[in-house]
Amino acid sequence: MKPIILASSSPRRQEILRLLNIPFQVKVSNFSEEYPSDIDLRQVPEFLANKKIEAVAKTYPAGHEIPWILGADTMILLDGKLYGKPADNIEAAKFMKDFQGKTHEVITGLALFNGDVMFATSRTVITKVTFAPMTDEEIEWYVETGDWHGAAGGYRIQGLASCFIRKIEGTNSNVVGLPIFDLYDMLKEQNYSILE
């Protein structure tokens, strides 16, 4: 298998690539995560995933072979508002207050650049997550654990927040940050086999 450049520093995405035995290197794209104001909010993660692979591809000098590159971006959508990673305890608590007792959408944009044929493809995957009602004490306890650090929406499906997650509609791995079925499907479409 050819190595894939992962345009993300996410430990969870790295774990999934290791699980699939896909050789990879991390090369974080340094670009301003801005998006057009008129874009459909559900398309923002896919837009940003594409920008990540573009930014990494541009780091290779002219005439240099560009390898396979994988970009991914995960955000949460609730009531017409996008949630990224909380900046501090106060914002993490606010996110939990917003999510408790409601269903939100976890949206991951995937972008894959095929270095063999210089072709990029992308898609959006959406999973619905329902939180049970939470007391102020539960929110305070959760935030104090620090489990929210570095996670879109301030929680991880495989972490302590699972105490409060009542229902998931869609794929769990999407909430982790890299939907395995869709990644595998995109690789198959580009004739990249992980079955070796």
Side-chain angles (χ1 to χ4, degrees), residues 79-109:
D79 298 332
K81 179 185 171 187
L82 282 176
Y83 293 75
K85 297 172 185 172
D88 52 33
N89 281 32
I90 293 167
E91 193 167 41
K94 183 187 180 319
F95 284 11
M96 286 300 113
K97 283 180 181 169
D98 289 351
F99 297 161
Q100 62 91 24
K102 293 182 182 173
T103 299
H104 61 256
E105 293 179 334
V106 179
I107 306 167
T108 297

PDB file of all heavy atoms in Angstrom, residues 79-109:
ATOM      1  N   ASP A  79     -29.454  23.888  15.580  1.00  0.00           N
ATOM      2  CA  ASP A  79     -30.251  25.115  15.470  1.00  0.00           C
ATOM      3  C   ASP A  79     -29.585  26.181  14.595  1.00  0.00           C
ATOM      4  O   ASP A  79     -29.518  27.361  14.964  1.00  0.00           O
ATOM      5  CB  ASP A  79     -30.544  25.693  16.871  1.00  0.00           C
ATOM      6  CG  ASP A  79     -31.364  24.739  17.731  1.00  0.00           C
ATOM      7  OD1 ASP A  79     -32.130  23.930  17.159  1.00  0.00           O
ATOM      8  OD2 ASP A  79     -31.237  24.797  18.965  1.00  0.00           O
ATOM      9  N   GLY A  80     -29.054  25.756  13.452  1.00  0.00           N
ATOM     10  CA  GLY A  80     -28.475  26.697  12.503  1.00  0.00           C
ATOM     11  C   GLY A  80     -27.130  27.269  12.905  1.00  0.00           C
ATOM     12  O   GLY A  80     -26.659  28.238  12.325  1.00  0.00           O
ATOM     13  N   LYS A  81     -26.465  26.640  13.895  1.00  0.00           N
ATOM     14  CA  LYS A  81     -25.159  27.127  14.354  1.00  0.00           C
ATOM     15  C   LYS A  81     -24.146  25.991  14.309  1.00  0.00           C
ATOM     16  O   LYS A  81     -24.450  24.867  14.704  1.00  0.00           O
ATOM     17  CB  LYS A  81     -25.288  27.660  15.787  1.00  0.00           C
ATOM     18  CG  LYS A  81     -23.983  28.171  16.367  1.00  0.00           C
ATOM     19  CD  LYS A  81     -24.140  28.563  17.829  1.00  0.00           C
ATOM     20  CE  LYS A  81     -22.784  28.855  18.446  1.00  0.00           C
ATOM     21  NZ  LYS A  81     -22.845  29.079  19.895  1.00  0.00           N
ATOM     22  N   LEU A  82     -22.936  26.300  13.829  1.00  0.00           N
ATOM     23  CA  LEU A  82     -21.855  25.318  13.799  1.00  0.00           C
ATOM     24  C   LEU A  82     -21.019  25.411  15.074  1.00  0.00           C
ATOM     25  O   LEU A  82     -20.722  26.503  15.557  1.00  0.00           O
ATOM     26  CB  LEU A  82     -20.936  25.557  12.594  1.00  0.00           C
ATOM     27  CG  LEU A  82     -21.425  25.078  11.236  1.00  0.00           C
ATOM     28  CD1 LEU A  82     -20.433  25.481  10.149  1.00  0.00           C
ATOM     29  CD2 LEU A  82     -21.664  23.572  11.211  1.00  0.00           C
ATOM     30  N   TYR A  83     -20.654  24.256  15.593  1.00  0.00           N
ATOM     31  CA  TYR A  83     -19.812  24.171  16.779  1.00  0.00           C
ATOM     32  C   TYR A  83     -18.513  23.465  16.407  1.00  0.00           C
ATOM     33  O   TYR A  83     -18.538  22.364  15.862  1.00  0.00           O
ATOM     34  CB  TYR A  83     -20.505  23.349  17.876  1.00  0.00           C
ATOM     35  CG  TYR A  83     -21.742  23.969  18.457  1.00  0.00           C
ATOM     36  CD1 TYR A  83     -22.946  23.976  17.747  1.00  0.00           C
ATOM     37  CD2 TYR A  83     -21.729  24.547  19.725  1.00  0.00           C
ATOM     38  CE1 TYR A  83     -24.098  24.536  18.282  1.00  0.00           C
ATOM     39  CE2 TYR A  83     -22.878  25.113  20.269  1.00  0.00           C
ATOM     40  CZ  TYR A  83     -24.050  25.100  19.539  1.00  0.00           C
ATOM     41  OH  TYR A  83     -25.186  25.661  20.072  1.00  0.00           O
ATOM     42  N   GLY A  84     -17.398  24.094  16.738  1.00  0.00           N
ATOM     43  CA  GLY A  84     -16.097  23.470  16.539  1.00  0.00           C
ATOM     44  C   GLY A  84     -15.577  22.977  17.878  1.00  0.00           C
ATOM     45  O   GLY A  84     -16.320  22.442  18.695  1.00  0.00           O
ATOM     46  N   LYS A  85     -14.292  23.203  18.139  1.00  0.00           N
ATOM     47  CA  LYS A  85     -13.700  22.788  19.417  1.00  0.00           C
ATOM     48  C   LYS A  85     -13.836  23.939  20.416  1.00  0.00           C
ATOM     49  O   LYS A  85     -13.481  25.074  20.090  1.00  0.00           O
ATOM     50  CB  LYS A  85     -12.223  22.458  19.220  1.00  0.00           C
ATOM     51  CG  LYS A  85     -11.990  21.286  18.290  1.00  0.00           C
ATOM     52  CD  LYS A  85     -10.513  21.125  17.976  1.00  0.00           C
ATOM     53  CE  LYS A  85     -10.304  20.033  16.939  1.00  0.00           C
ATOM     54  NZ  LYS A  85      -8.911  19.972  16.472  1.00  0.00           N
ATOM     55  N   PRO A  86     -14.318  23.667  21.626  1.00  0.00           N
ATOM     56  CA  PRO A  86     -14.420  24.746  22.617  1.00  0.00           C
ATOM     57  C   PRO A  86     -13.045  25.269  23.014  1.00  0.00           C
ATOM     58  O   PRO A  86     -12.081  24.503  23.089  1.00  0.00           O
ATOM     59  CB  PRO A  86     -15.137  24.100  23.803  1.00  0.00           C
ATOM     60  CG  PRO A  86     -15.028  22.634  23.598  1.00  0.00           C
ATOM     61  CD  PRO A  86     -14.803  22.385  22.144  1.00  0.00           C
ATOM     62  N   ALA A  87     -12.978  26.575  23.260  1.00  0.00           N
ATOM     63  CA  ALA A  87     -11.698  27.217  23.580  1.00  0.00           C
ATOM     64  C   ALA A  87     -11.311  27.045  25.049  1.00  0.00           C
ATOM     65  O   ALA A  87     -10.131  27.063  25.388  1.00  0.00           O
ATOM     66  CB  ALA A  87     -11.771  28.703  23.239  1.00  0.00           C
ATOM     67  N   ASP A  88     -12.317  26.913  25.921  1.00  0.00           N
ATOM     68  CA  ASP A  88     -12.039  26.851  27.358  1.00  0.00           C
ATOM     69  C   ASP A  88     -13.209  26.191  28.089  1.00  0.00           C
ATOM     70  O   ASP A  88     -14.200  25.798  27.471  1.00  0.00           O
ATOM     71  CB  ASP A  88     -11.775  28.255  27.913  1.00  0.00           C
ATOM     72  CG  ASP A  88     -12.887  29.248  27.554  1.00  0.00           C
ATOM     73  OD1 ASP A  88     -14.063  28.836  27.453  1.00  0.00           O
ATOM     74  OD2 ASP A  88     -12.578  30.444  27.369  1.00  0.00           O
ATOM     75  N   ASN A  89     -13.086  26.100  29.417  1.00  0.00           N
ATOM     76  CA  ASN A  89     -14.123  25.468  30.247  1.00  0.00           C
ATOM     77  C   ASN A  89     -15.481  26.136  30.083  1.00  0.00           C
ATOM     78  O   ASN A  89     -16.516  25.456  30.040  1.00  0.00           O
ATOM     79  CB  ASN A  89     -13.726  25.529  31.730  1.00  0.00           C
ATOM     80  CG  ASN A  89     -12.710  24.466  32.107  1.00  0.00           C
ATOM     81  OD1 ASN A  89     -11.884  24.076  31.290  1.00  0.00           O
ATOM     82  ND2 ASN A  89     -12.780  23.995  33.337  1.00  0.00           N
ATOM     83  N   ILE A  90     -15.472  27.454  29.986  1.00  0.00           N
ATOM     84  CA  ILE A  90     -16.737  28.194  29.891  1.00  0.00           C
ATOM     85  C   ILE A  90     -17.462  27.835  28.608  1.00  0.00           C
ATOM     86  O   ILE A  90     -18.669  27.561  28.610  1.00  0.00           O
ATOM     87  CB  ILE A  90     -16.471  29.723  29.971  1.00  0.00           C
ATOM     88  CG1 ILE A  90     -15.947  30.086  31.367  1.00  0.00           C
ATOM     89  CG2 ILE A  90     -17.730  30.513  29.640  1.00  0.00           C
ATOM     90  CD1 ILE A  90     -15.362  31.457  31.487  1.00  0.00           C
ATOM     91  N   GLU A  91     -16.709  27.794  27.499  1.00  0.00           N
ATOM     92  CA  GLU A  91     -17.337  27.451  26.224  1.00  0.00           C
ATOM     93  C   GLU A  91     -17.750  25.980  26.192  1.00  0.00           C
ATOM     94  O   GLU A  91     -18.812  25.640  25.661  1.00  0.00           O
ATOM     95  CB  GLU A  91     -16.390  27.758  25.061  1.00  0.00           C
ATOM     96  CG  GLU A  91     -17.111  27.721  23.714  1.00  0.00           C
ATOM     97  CD  GLU A  91     -16.303  28.317  22.574  1.00  0.00           C
ATOM     98  OE1 GLU A  91     -15.077  28.077  22.512  1.00  0.00           O
ATOM     99  OE2 GLU A  91     -16.910  29.005  21.744  1.00  0.00           O
ATOM    100  N   ALA A  92     -16.957  25.102  26.785  1.00  0.00           N
ATOM    101  CA  ALA A  92     -17.312  23.678  26.847  1.00  0.00           C
ATOM    102  C   ALA A  92     -18.623  23.485  27.606  1.00  0.00           C
ATOM    103  O   ALA A  92     -19.499  22.716  27.190  1.00  0.00           O
ATOM    104  CB  ALA A  92     -16.187  22.879  27.501  1.00  0.00           C
ATOM    105  N   ALA A  93     -18.785  24.216  28.703  1.00  0.00           N
ATOM    106  CA  ALA A  93     -20.026  24.126  29.484  1.00  0.00           C
ATOM    107  C   ALA A  93     -21.205  24.665  28.686  1.00  0.00           C
ATOM    108  O   ALA A  93     -22.305  24.093  28.709  1.00  0.00           O
ATOM    109  CB  ALA A  93     -19.875  24.899  30.793  1.00  0.00           C
ATOM    110  N   LYS A  94     -20.981  25.741  27.950  1.00  0.00           N
ATOM    111  CA  LYS A  94     -22.056  26.307  27.121  1.00  0.00           C
ATOM    112  C   LYS A  94     -22.498  25.310  26.052  1.00  0.00           C
ATOM    113  O   LYS A  94     -23.681  25.131  25.793  1.00  0.00           O
ATOM    114  CB  LYS A  94     -21.597  27.613  26.472  1.00  0.00           C
ATOM    115  CG  LYS A  94     -22.713  28.270  25.669  1.00  0.00           C
ATOM    116  CD  LYS A  94     -22.261  29.468  24.888  1.00  0.00           C
ATOM    117  CE  LYS A  94     -23.388  30.110  24.105  1.00  0.00           C
ATOM    118  NZ  LYS A  94     -24.314  29.183  23.451  1.00  0.00           N
ATOM    119  N   PHE A  95     -21.523  24.655  25.416  1.00  0.00           N
ATOM    120  CA  PHE A  95     -21.848  23.649  24.398  1.00  0.00           C
ATOM    121  C   PHE A  95     -22.724  22.557  25.005  1.00  0.00           C
ATOM    122  O   PHE A  95     -23.746  22.170  24.430  1.00  0.00           O
ATOM    123  CB  PHE A  95     -20.568  23.010  23.841  1.00  0.00           C
ATOM    124  CG  PHE A  95     -19.798  23.870  22.866  1.00  0.00           C
ATOM    125  CD1 PHE A  95     -20.085  25.214  22.678  1.00  0.00           C
ATOM    126  CD2 PHE A  95     -18.768  23.319  22.122  1.00  0.00           C
ATOM    127  CE1 PHE A  95     -19.366  25.994  21.778  1.00  0.00           C
ATOM    128  CE2 PHE A  95     -18.045  24.082  21.211  1.00  0.00           C
ATOM    129  CZ  PHE A  95     -18.342  25.424  21.044  1.00  0.00           C
ATOM    130  N   MET A  96     -22.333  22.042  26.193  1.00  0.00           N
ATOM    131  CA  MET A  96     -23.106  20.975  26.832  1.00  0.00           C
ATOM    132  C   MET A  96     -24.518  21.440  27.178  1.00  0.00           C
ATOM    133  O   MET A  96     -25.483  20.699  27.016  1.00  0.00           O
ATOM    134  CB  MET A  96     -22.398  20.471  28.100  1.00  0.00           C
ATOM    135  CG  MET A  96     -21.177  19.620  27.845  1.00  0.00           C
ATOM    136  SD  MET A  96     -21.540  18.113  26.907  1.00  0.00           S
ATOM    137  CE  MET A  96     -20.679  18.432  25.376  1.00  0.00           C
ATOM    138  N   LYS A  97     -24.635  22.690  27.635  1.00  0.00           N
ATOM    139  CA  LYS A  97     -25.969  23.231  27.936  1.00  0.00           C
ATOM    140  C   LYS A  97     -26.820  23.307  26.675  1.00  0.00           C
ATOM    141  O   LYS A  97     -28.020  23.047  26.700  1.00  0.00           O
ATOM    142  CB  LYS A  97     -25.850  24.612  28.594  1.00  0.00           C
ATOM    143  CG  LYS A  97     -25.442  24.521  30.044  1.00  0.00           C
ATOM    144  CD  LYS A  97     -25.322  25.879  30.714  1.00  0.00           C
ATOM    145  CE  LYS A  97     -24.881  25.687  32.163  1.00  0.00           C
ATOM    146  NZ  LYS A  97     -24.499  26.905  32.832  1.00  0.00           N
ATOM    147  N   ASP A  98     -26.186  23.670  25.559  1.00  0.00           N
ATOM    148  CA  ASP A  98     -26.913  23.738  24.287  1.00  0.00           C
ATOM    149  C   ASP A  98     -27.339  22.352  23.821  1.00  0.00           C
ATOM    150  O   ASP A  98     -28.440  22.173  23.294  1.00  0.00           O
ATOM    151  CB  ASP A  98     -26.039  24.379  23.202  1.00  0.00           C
ATOM    152  CG  ASP A  98     -25.825  25.875  23.413  1.00  0.00           C
ATOM    153  OD1 ASP A  98     -26.476  26.458  24.300  1.00  0.00           O
ATOM    154  OD2 ASP A  98     -25.001  26.456  22.678  1.00  0.00           O
ATOM    155  N   PHE A  99     -26.473  21.347  24.000  1.00  0.00           N
ATOM    156  CA  PHE A  99     -26.734  20.000  23.470  1.00  0.00           C
ATOM    157  C   PHE A  99     -27.697  19.186  24.325  1.00  0.00           C
ATOM    158  O   PHE A  99     -28.429  18.350  23.799  1.00  0.00           O
ATOM    159  CB  PHE A  99     -25.425  19.206  23.346  1.00  0.00           C
ATOM    160  CG  PHE A  99     -24.409  19.778  22.392  1.00  0.00           C
ATOM    161  CD1 PHE A  99     -23.074  19.409  22.483  1.00  0.00           C
ATOM    162  CD2 PHE A  99     -24.771  20.676  21.405  1.00  0.00           C
ATOM    163  CE1 PHE A  99     -22.124  19.926  21.611  1.00  0.00           C
ATOM    164  CE2 PHE A  99     -23.826  21.205  20.532  1.00  0.00           C
ATOM    165  CZ  PHE A  99     -22.497  20.828  20.639  1.00  0.00           C
ATOM    166  N   GLN A 100     -27.685  19.423  25.646  1.00  0.00           N
ATOM    167  CA  GLN A 100     -28.446  18.553  26.542  1.00  0.00           C
ATOM    168  C   GLN A 100     -29.943  18.587  26.194  1.00  0.00           C
ATOM    169  O   GLN A 100     -30.517  19.631  25.931  1.00  0.00           O
ATOM    170  CB  GLN A 100     -28.187  18.932  28.002  1.00  0.00           C
ATOM    171  CG  GLN A 100     -28.590  20.325  28.417  1.00  0.00           C
ATOM    172  CD  GLN A 100     -30.013  20.392  28.951  1.00  0.00           C
ATOM    173  OE1 GLN A 100     -30.578  19.415  29.420  1.00  0.00           O
ATOM    174  NE2 GLN A 100     -30.608  21.566  28.841  1.00  0.00           N
ATOM    175  N   GLY A 101     -30.520  17.379  26.138  1.00  0.00           N
ATOM    176  CA  GLY A 101     -31.941  17.247  25.849  1.00  0.00           C
ATOM    177  C   GLY A 101     -32.309  17.441  24.386  1.00  0.00           C
ATOM    178  O   GLY A 101     -33.488  17.484  24.044  1.00  0.00           O
ATOM    179  N   LYS A 102     -31.295  17.555  23.509  1.00  0.00           N
ATOM    180  CA  LYS A 102     -31.572  17.828  22.087  1.00  0.00           C
ATOM    181  C   LYS A 102     -30.804  16.862  21.183  1.00  0.00           C
ATOM    182  O   LYS A 102     -29.880  16.183  21.611  1.00  0.00           O
ATOM    183  CB  LYS A 102     -31.159  19.257  21.719  1.00  0.00           C
ATOM    184  CG  LYS A 102     -31.980  20.339  22.383  1.00  0.00           C
ATOM    185  CD  LYS A 102     -31.510  21.703  21.920  1.00  0.00           C
ATOM    186  CE  LYS A 102     -32.273  22.822  22.606  1.00  0.00           C
ATOM    187  NZ  LYS A 102     -31.713  24.134  22.275  1.00  0.00           N
ATOM    188  N   THR A 103     -31.202  16.866  19.906  1.00  0.00           N
ATOM    189  CA  THR A 103     -30.499  16.087  18.880  1.00  0.00           C
ATOM    190  C   THR A 103     -29.735  17.044  17.978  1.00  0.00           C
ATOM    191  O   THR A 103     -30.308  18.032  17.508  1.00  0.00           O
ATOM    192  CB  THR A 103     -31.501  15.277  18.025  1.00  0.00           C
ATOM    193  OG1 THR A 103     -32.200  14.366  18.882  1.00  0.00           O
ATOM    194  CG2 THR A 103     -30.786  14.492  16.926  1.00  0.00           C
ATOM    195  N   HIS A 104     -28.457  16.786  17.770  1.00  0.00           N
ATOM    196  CA  HIS A 104     -27.667  17.605  16.857  1.00  0.00           C
ATOM    197  C   HIS A 104     -27.059  16.721  15.769  1.00  0.00           C
ATOM    198  O   HIS A 104     -27.116  15.488  15.850  1.00  0.00           O
ATOM    199  CB  HIS A 104     -26.575  18.388  17.602  1.00  0.00           C
ATOM    200  CG  HIS A 104     -25.583  17.522  18.307  1.00  0.00           C
ATOM    201  ND1 HIS A 104     -25.586  17.339  19.676  1.00  0.00           N
ATOM    202  CD2 HIS A 104     -24.545  16.769  17.844  1.00  0.00           C
ATOM    203  CE1 HIS A 104     -24.600  16.531  20.013  1.00  0.00           C
ATOM    204  NE2 HIS A 104     -23.950  16.165  18.914  1.00  0.00           N
ATOM    205  N   GLU A 105     -26.516  17.344  14.756  1.00  0.00           N
ATOM    206  CA  GLU A 105     -25.876  16.624  13.661  1.00  0.00           C
ATOM    207  C   GLU A 105     -24.362  16.746  13.770  1.00  0.00           C
ATOM    208  O   GLU A 105     -23.838  17.842  13.942  1.00  0.00           O
ATOM    209  CB  GLU A 105     -26.318  17.186  12.309  1.00  0.00           C
ATOM    210  CG  GLU A 105     -27.781  16.955  12.007  1.00  0.00           C
ATOM    211  CD  GLU A 105     -28.205  17.536  10.672  1.00  0.00           C
ATOM    212  OE1 GLU A 105     -27.566  18.507  10.189  1.00  0.00           O
ATOM    213  OE2 GLU A 105     -29.184  17.024  10.110  1.00  0.00           O
ATOM    214  N   VAL A 106     -23.684  15.605  13.689  1.00  0.00           N
ATOM    215  CA  VAL A 106     -22.226  15.588  13.608  1.00  0.00           C
ATOM    216  C   VAL A 106     -21.888  15.414  12.128  1.00  0.00           C
ATOM    217  O   VAL A 106     -22.290  14.435  11.508  1.00  0.00           O
ATOM    218  CB  VAL A 106     -21.611  14.445  14.433  1.00  0.00           C
ATOM    219  CG1 VAL A 106     -20.088  14.444  14.289  1.00  0.00           C
ATOM    220  CG2 VAL A 106     -22.005  14.568  15.893  1.00  0.00           C
ATOM    221  N   ILE A 107     -21.210  16.402  11.574  1.00  0.00           N
ATOM    222  CA  ILE A 107     -20.934  16.421  10.135  1.00  0.00           C
ATOM    223  C   ILE A 107     -19.431  16.318   9.898  1.00  0.00           C
ATOM    224  O   ILE A 107     -18.657  17.131  10.411  1.00  0.00           O
ATOM    225  CB  ILE A 107     -21.462  17.727   9.508  1.00  0.00           C
ATOM    226  CG1 ILE A 107     -22.940  17.907   9.838  1.00  0.00           C
ATOM    227  CG2 ILE A 107     -21.239  17.737   7.995  1.00  0.00           C
ATOM    228  CD1 ILE A 107     -23.471  19.292   9.532  1.00  0.00           C
ATOM    229  N   THR A 108     -19.041  15.292   9.145  1.00  0.00           N
ATOM    230  CA  THR A 108     -17.637  15.155   8.773  1.00  0.00           C
ATOM    231  C   THR A 108     -17.517  15.285   7.265  1.00  0.00           C
ATOM    232  O   THR A 108     -18.249  14.640   6.520  1.00  0.00           O
ATOM    233  CB  THR A 108     -17.049  13.802   9.233  1.00  0.00           C
ATOM    234  OG1 THR A 108     -17.099  13.735  10.661  1.00  0.00           O
ATOM    235  CG2 THR A 108     -15.597  13.644   8.781  1.00  0.00           C
ATOM    236  N   GLY A 109     -16.608  16.149   6.846  1.00  0.00           N
ATOM    237  CA  GLY A 109     -16.260  16.251   5.441  1.00  0.00           C
ATOM    238  C   GLY A 109     -14.993  15.454   5.209  1.00  0.00           C
ATOM    239  O   GLY A 109     -14.039  15.567   5.984  1.00  0.00           O
TER     240      GLY A 109
END
